[in-house]
Amino acid sequence: MAYTHEQYQALKEAIAGGELAVRYADRSVTYRSVAEMLQILRLMESELGINADANRGRRLTSFSKGY
């Protein structure tokens, strides 16, 4: 299946919002679990050529001058 960036964004927003149903255009998809959604998200990233691993796992570190 050919995924679109709109479908990818809608799925990301649903995951972030804790929802299992995703609507885009005139379609609606209800997933069984967040794990299933993440699996489809990775498939979309692969097909769309999105390198999400580059941003995953990054941590913001703060440094103090010790005052």
Side-chain angles (χ1 to χ4, degrees):
M1 176 178 191
Y3 295 106
T4 67
H5 285 281
E6 290 79 20
Q7 290 170 320
Y8 174 74
Q9 192 61 37
L11 182 56
K12 280 183 61 173
E13 290 173 8
I15 292 169
E19 303 167 16
L20 292 177
V22 179
R23 291 194 59 83
Y24 55 90
D26 62 341
R27 300 189 68 182
S28 177
V29 178
T30 301
Y31 294 93
R32 293 177 291 235
S33 67
V34 174
E36 181 183 26
M37 295 171 84
L38 291 171
Q39 181 181 9
I40 298 298
L41 189 70
R42 301 302 166 251
L43 178 62
M44 287 179 171
E45 290 170 349
S46 175
E47 288 192 11
L48 294 170
I50 298 170
N51 186 0
D53 287 333
N55 296 325
R56 215 174 277 130
R58 283 190 173 168
R59 294 183 185 201
L60 296 177
T61 306
S62 63
F63 295 96
S64 172
K65 293 183 180 182
Y67 298 115

